[in-house]
Amino acid sequence: MIDGFEIGHCTRDDDGWLTGTTVVTCRAGAMGGVDVRGGGPGTRETDLLNPLTVVQQVHAVVLTGGSAYGLAAADGVMAGLAADHIGFPGGGLPHQVVPIVPAAVIFDLGRGGEFGNRPDASFGAEALANASAADPEQGSVGVGTGAVAGGLKGGFGYAETLTTQGFRVAAAVGLNAAGGVVDPATGRPWADRTYSISEPTEEERATLATLPKGSSFATTVGVVMTDALLTKPQAGKLAQVGHDGMARAIRPLHSMLDGDSVFTLASQQRPLPSDPLAALMTFNDLLEAAADVFTDACLNAVVRATSRGEWSAWNDLAPSTRRSLDEEKK
């Protein structure tokens, strides 16, 4: 995990439930950006990330199930941060703060059997309490608990990389897509850009070809993280190219059934070069890395998911391609 960031989950997959919440925190504050492209988004506090607004520090981003109802999970995160006096100063005393906590939701209502079982403030509080600097658990956890992706079980995925200049870039993704995530010609996930997964057997390809085309309300959401020192417009650009990474993993994308949203959090720990041309080229490398790790996080969401209810996971439909844990960590 990049220094300064923590990720925590709240997962409910017991009787009647199949939903959850994930929080990405930067308690010291991070420069934030956002890019919303889906036709049916459910978001909170995204206007604050516009470069023309006053807020310069984001303290957490919430990714959650529950459709618009799930936005209430951010209340629990705000309360937890406020208790630690973390937030935008709203008065003259240390406890008089307003934590800046943007949020985005996926649609997973009713997938556990009860339409009314959805995240509330307690989910955000639990996810915040579980937040850790260790690499996060992946698969059918947190925001990915009730996720579905093109007929497969979706999930939560995380990936991280290091640029040639030494900047760290990571992505945390809740993959819940109306579009497909498998290439019907090969049976391989679209997101496997480095061909880390072997080709499924003929029998497995035939099974994967029968997956129903996505037609339900969906939405994929994510956060790009970096230790780079960025301006607010640069943070927004990094979120923008996160969608490029998403487009490599899901086809079609950004439909009227999706609310696809990508955030950026930049911890401001490492400045770009002082030379303008060198800074430009370095930022271009960050953009490339952001797209790549977002794709990789989408892949991990697919291959780490576990079957739930009527939705089968990749590893159950294509067991011959199962990667070892050591390979998955590369």
Side-chain angles (χ1 to χ4, degrees):
M1 181 77 68
I2 299 175
D3 292 344
F5 292 102
E6 297 178 338
I7 294 178
H9 299 304
C10 173
T11 301
R12 286 292 303 273
D13 60 359
D14 46 330
D15 186 36
W17 291 86
L18 195 64
T19 190
T21 298
T22 297
V23 62
V24 180
T25 71
C26 187
R27 294 171 183 268
M31 183 63 72
V34 69
D35 191 277
V36 180
R37 297 197 183 184
T43 58
R44 169 171 169 160
E45 299 282 43
T46 51
D47 283 352
L48 282 177
L49 304 182
N50 186 306
L52 299 180
T53 61
V54 67
V55 167
Q56 299 294 309
Q57 296 287 303
V58 174
H59 306 101
V61 169
V62 172
L63 309 176
T64 183
S67 189
Y69 294 105
L71 290 171
D75 291 341
V77 177
M78 286 189 70
L81 292 173
D84 291 333
H85 302 169
I86 296 172
F88 184 86
L93 299 176
H95 69 279
Q96 295 175 333
V97 296
V98 180
I100 305 302
V101 184
V105 302
I106 69 169
F107 188 96
D108 59 4
L109 294 174
R111 289 181 181 165
E114 293 291 338
F115 188 87
N117 286 350
R118 57 231 180 189
D120 57 18
S122 70
F123 279 63
E126 182 175 333
L128 182 64
N130 291 335
S132 166
D135 285 348
E137 182 182 359
Q138 300 182 67
S140 301
V141 296
V143 64
T145 305
V148 178
L152 277 174
K153 184 67 184 72
F156 171 83
Y158 176 83
E160 186 176 330
T161 192
L162 191 69
T163 71
T164 55
Q165 296 87 0
F167 290 91
R168 298 176 70 182
V169 185
V173 176
L175 180 63
N176 183 63
V181 295
V182 175
D183 180 352
T186 65
R188 296 161 48 83
W190 294 112
D192 189 18
R193 64 183 184 86
T194 61
Y195 296 91
S196 62
I197 298 176
S198 60
E199 190 167 299
T201 66
E202 184 175 346
E203 181 179 359
E204 289 168 347
R205 288 199 301 273
T207 300
L208 290 165
T210 66
L211 289 173
K213 294 186 181 296
S215 59
S216 65
F217 296 107
T219 296
T220 293
V221 294
V223 181
V224 175
M225 294 157 273
T226 181
D227 59 359
L229 195 162
L230 301 180
T231 65
K232 214 172 184 183
Q234 286 175 324
K237 183 64 176 179
L238 217 64
Q240 186 181 82
V241 300
H243 284 279
D244 295 345
M246 192 189 301
R248 298 174 188 165
I250 305 164
R251 303 181 190 183
L253 189 64
H254 302 331
S255 75
M256 299 307 291
L257 303 177
D258 295 297
D260 305 318
S261 303
V262 179
F263 297 91
T264 294
L265 293 175
S267 66
Q268 312 294 68
Q269 298 300 306
R270 288 177 53 85
L272 302 186
S274 57
D275 176 75
L277 181 57
L280 175 62
M281 301 310 295
T282 298
F283 184 63
N284 273 341
D285 287 344
L286 288 172
L287 297 178
E288 180 181 356
D292 285 347
V293 293
F294 206 98
T295 302
D296 295 343
C298 288
L299 176 64
N300 283 333
V302 171
V303 302
R304 296 290 192 99
T306 50
S307 297
R308 292 287 194 279
E310 65 187 87
W311 299 283
S312 296
W314 167 267
N315 281 331
D316 290 328
L317 296 183
S320 72
T321 68
R322 191 186 303 270
R323 300 178 298 173
S324 71
L325 289 176
D326 287 342
E327 291 174 326
E328 288 181 359
K329 290 177 182 177
K330 291 180 180 179

